[in-house]
Amino acid sequence: MKILIVDDDISSGAAVAEFIEEQLAYSIHLCHNGEEAYNALKNEDFQMVISDLRMPGLSGLDLLKKIKLLPNGPEIEVVIMTGFGDMESSIEALRGGAYDYLLKPVNIEELAILIERVAEKIQLKEENKDLKENIKQTVSHGKKEAERIQYYETTIREITSVGKIGVFSDVMRGVVRMAEQFHEDRSVPVLIEGETGTGKEVVARLVHFGKSSDVTKPFISINCSAISPTLFESELFGYDEGAFTGASKEGKPGKLELAQGGTLFLDEIGEMPLDMQPKLLRVLQQREMYRVGGSKPIELDVRVIFATNRNLKEMVAEKTFRSDLYYRLNTGRLYIPPLRERKEAILSFSQIFLDQYSKKRNRKFRFISKDAKKILQDYEWPGNIRELKNTIERATLLFNDLELKTEHLRFLHADDNEFESGEQPIVLGRVVLPDDELRIEQLELEIVRKALKKFDDNKSKTAEYLGITRSALRSRMNKL
């Protein structure tokens, strides 16, 4: 989004422009009078204008009227900055088509929230425009196809029992599309492959529920690695009365029976004991089963979904997984790539989790700083989305700020000693400055953090070491 700022107060306009450009990462053009701003609007495309109300020459109100007469004027969102005494003029501006107004001196938190609201509105308008165009182009394919286009283009999805998830890459849109196709045919076993933390159970639930929130059939989950091999058969198939010593007199249904009409999700299928695999294969082929100790077949109406973080093909070659079961499972295959291979999704997921946990813990977090974004994108995320989610949750648990900053993410480095072992001590007179930029406050907080660690959080020794008072130390610690 490109923003035009108009303010005859040079220092005030520059401060607003600097905050928006550096902290919110939007493109900025600054003008100091209405005439200059109007000429810029005629020559360049701006999506938003933030203008002072009282300016010599062309006032903010007059500029608003002229903006709305431009060919693209109705699409430009205008925010008026005004003093408390000009409330009547502010109301007139709103009636003239202004999006909102801000009281001077401008509160940066209110400014940031307002700009994000405008950005969201503009994005929704663009998505709506694209959607209408897509529907217009595909109207010949009928109403159902148009609904499918709208469905797949939606970024934020709601899945029953899971909540909102994000679909931020083409490869994940493909996974969602295939999951819906598998939802339509309950007879096809589905194998979901992917590293730990990529969201395999979320995709399994998507296969189960499809687009509907009205599915009431059971979704039964088993983690194959968490069940003792000796109990696996009775857990899966159940047992009849007297099947073994200690068996319940009434018998007990297994997970397959409990999933009748719905879905059985077998997580970590690569951990299933070898002697159980042919029995499972028979269930998939015959659509029936016997309880342990039972003599009557039980017909099954169960969709079976499998997930693994292991390479089953390699396990087949090593004879640790049956080939006939593998080829049966591979009928419906979904692969979820690790987060490091879809970097474009990292910041979107981060913002979703930041909003989620800020609301849950009543924190002020709204944005992610430019430096923090770089840390998040450069990190490899071996634990994938689960690790990213836990990272943001931990940051909101430990800190409370308007922005997520680099100091809030230092715990990503699991071994601080190893991370810091290659660093050189500060020697006065021989300090080497970085080439790009140096944030004094950030450097100061880093020094305080390391000094506290050096003295095992002893505040008196740390303050003495740094040559500051305990009160000054506390003030800096509050920013950590």
Side-chain angles (χ1 to χ4, degrees):
M1 183 169 69
K2 196 171 182 181
I3 302 175
L4 175 65
I5 297 173
V6 195
D7 196 340
D8 62 319
D9 185 330
I10 295 176
S11 61
S12 173
V16 171
E18 182 179 2
F19 172 77
I20 296 174
E21 191 166 37
E22 292 193 2
Q23 303 301 320
L24 305 183
Y26 289 116
S27 177
I28 294 299
H29 185 82
L30 178 60
C31 295
H32 298 300
N33 60 68
E35 289 82 2
E36 181 186 351
Y38 184 63
N39 289 330
L41 284 161
K42 288 191 293 184
N43 296 319
E44 297 182 53
D45 289 329
F46 293 94
Q47 289 75 46
M48 183 178 184
V49 174
I50 302 175
S51 174
D52 193 12
L53 180 64
R54 292 191 175 274
M55 296 184 293
L58 194 65
S59 70
L61 200 55
D62 293 334
L63 177 61
L64 169 66
K65 293 175 182 177
K66 297 190 76 169
I67 288 173
K68 294 304 175 183
L69 293 175
L70 290 170
N72 64 332
E75 302 298 320
I76 300 174
E77 303 296 346
V78 181
V79 173
I80 297 294
M81 296 185 293
T82 179
F84 185 76
D86 289 320
M87 291 303 295
E88 288 187 10
S89 298
S90 301
I91 294 171
E92 185 180 351
L94 292 175
R95 288 173 178 165
Y99 178 80
D100 207 340
Y101 67 88
L102 284 166
L103 289 176
K104 277 191 162 187
V106 174
N107 180 295
I108 61 167
E109 184 171 351
E110 292 178 2
L111 172 64
I113 293 171
L114 178 57
I115 289 174
E116 291 305 314
R117 283 209 327 259
V118 171
E120 184 177 354
K121 179 182 178 182
I122 290 171
Q123 183 179 357
L124 287 173
K125 283 164 66 176
E126 290 176 351
E127 288 178 356
N128 188 48
K129 182 180 177 182
D130 291 341
L131 182 57
K132 286 180 178 178
E133 184 62 30
N134 284 337
I135 292 175
K136 188 184 296 183
Q137 291 175 2
T138 59
V139 69
S140 59
H141 297 291
K143 183 179 178 181
K144 184 176 180 180
E145 185 63 17
E147 290 174 348
R148 284 168 61 82
I149 291 172
Q150 182 178 8
Y151 171 67
Y152 287 129
E153 289 299 321
T154 302
T155 300
I156 305 300
R157 303 287 308 284
E158 187 82 27
I159 299 180
T160 307
S161 302
V162 174
K164 292 181 178 178
I165 67 163
V167 184
F168 302 110
S169 63
D170 290 339
V171 66
M172 287 309 297
R173 289 189 184 94
V175 169
V176 168
R177 189 176 301 115
M178 290 183 69
E180 185 200 27
Q181 291 174 348
F182 292 147
H183 171 78
E184 299 298 329
D185 189 345
R186 302 183 67 254
S187 67
V188 175
V190 178
L191 174 63
I192 305 172
E193 295 179 296
E195 293 181 4
T196 298
T198 49
K200 295 187 289 296
E201 183 166 352
V202 172
V203 173
R205 289 184 180 272
L206 184 57
V207 174
H208 173 69
F209 288 102
K211 290 189 290 184
S212 173
S213 59
D214 301 327
V215 175
T216 58
K217 299 299 183 180
F219 180 92
I220 305 297
S221 177
I222 299 180
N223 189 320
C224 298
S225 63
I227 302 175
S228 166
T230 57
L231 298 176
F232 210 107
E233 187 170 9
S234 60
E235 187 74 17
L236 189 60
F237 298 107
Y239 57 84
D240 272 350
E241 177 184 354
F244 50 83
T245 303
S248 170
K249 289 184 178 180
E250 296 80 18
K252 181 182 176 182
K255 293 296 194 292
L256 275 164
E257 279 185 82
L258 294 175
Q260 282 281 29
T263 297
L264 176 67
F265 175 54
L266 289 165
D267 198 6
E268 303 304 342
I269 188 61
E271 306 300 327
M272 175 175 273
L274 265 173
D275 62 332
M276 280 296 301
Q277 294 178 21
K279 298 176 182 179
L280 177 61
L281 178 62
R282 183 184 180 282
V283 168
L284 296 177
Q285 292 173 336
Q286 303 296 326
R287 311 298 295 176
E288 66 177 22
M289 53 151 273
Y290 291 86
R291 284 186 178 185
V292 175
S295 57
K296 294 181 180 179
I298 299 173
E299 290 189 11
L300 293 174
D301 175 24
V302 178
R303 180 208 317 278
V304 188
I305 303 175
F306 307 87
T308 182
N309 61 4
R310 302 182 65 180
N311 189 320
L312 295 186
K313 195 171 184 179
E314 288 183 358
M315 292 182 68
V316 169
E318 295 165 357
K319 300 190 182 304
T320 55
F321 197 87
R322 288 181 62 102
S323 59
D324 48 4
L325 178 59
Y326 170 70
Y327 292 121
R328 179 61 179 158
L329 302 189
N330 213 29
T331 306
R333 178 180 180 270
L334 290 170
Y335 171 69
I336 307 176
L339 189 56
R340 62 182 174 275
E341 293 181 10
R342 40 191 173 110
K343 295 260 186 186
E344 69 273 22
I346 292 174
L347 295 183
S348 297
F349 274 121
S350 300
Q351 190 65 56
I352 286 178
F353 297 146
L354 188 68
D355 294 342
Q356 175 185 337
Y357 288 114
S358 295
K359 184 177 180 181
K360 179 180 178 180
R361 295 200 168 88
N362 196 28
R363 297 298 204 231
K364 295 187 295 184
F365 283 111
R366 294 292 182 275
F367 315 104
I368 304 173
S369 73
K370 185 166 64 174
D371 292 337
K373 285 179 179 178
K374 188 174 188 310
I375 288 176
L376 292 169
Q377 285 194 302
D378 289 348
Y379 188 67
E380 285 297 301
W381 300 111
N384 293 291
I385 295 174
R386 184 183 296 136
E387 183 184 8
L388 174 59
K389 186 176 183 179
N390 292 342
T391 294
I392 301 299
E393 182 179 13
R394 180 173 175 179
T396 60
L397 178 66
L398 297 176
F399 305 99
N400 187 17
D401 206 336
L402 181 63
E403 278 190 318
L404 184 70
K405 300 175 182 176
T406 55
E407 52 263 36
H408 304 151
L409 300 172
R410 295 197 186 281
F411 56 81
L412 277 177
H413 301 286
D415 189 345
D416 268 346
N417 292 327
E418 179 182 342
F419 178 68
E420 296 171 2
S421 63
E423 297 177 357
Q424 298 297 318
I426 297 175
V427 179
L428 295 179
R430 289 196 284 129
V431 176
V432 179
L433 299 178
D435 293 332
D436 46 3
E437 62 180 12
L438 177 65
R439 305 286 178 89
I440 293 294
E441 184 180 13
Q442 188 176 324
L443 177 61
E444 185 179 69
L445 294 177
E446 177 73 1
I447 291 172
V448 169
R449 185 181 72 85
K450 292 187 176 181
L452 283 165
K453 184 176 179 181
K454 179 181 179 72
F455 294 104
D456 295 324
D457 287 333
N458 185 308
K459 297 177 183 59
S460 296
K461 290 183 178 180
T462 301
E464 182 181 355
Y465 175 78
L466 295 174
I468 58 177
T469 64
R470 281 177 59 93
S471 173
L473 176 62
R474 277 197 303 271
S475 175
R476 286 162 175 80
M477 287 175 64
N478 290 334
K479 299 178 182 179
L480 289 174

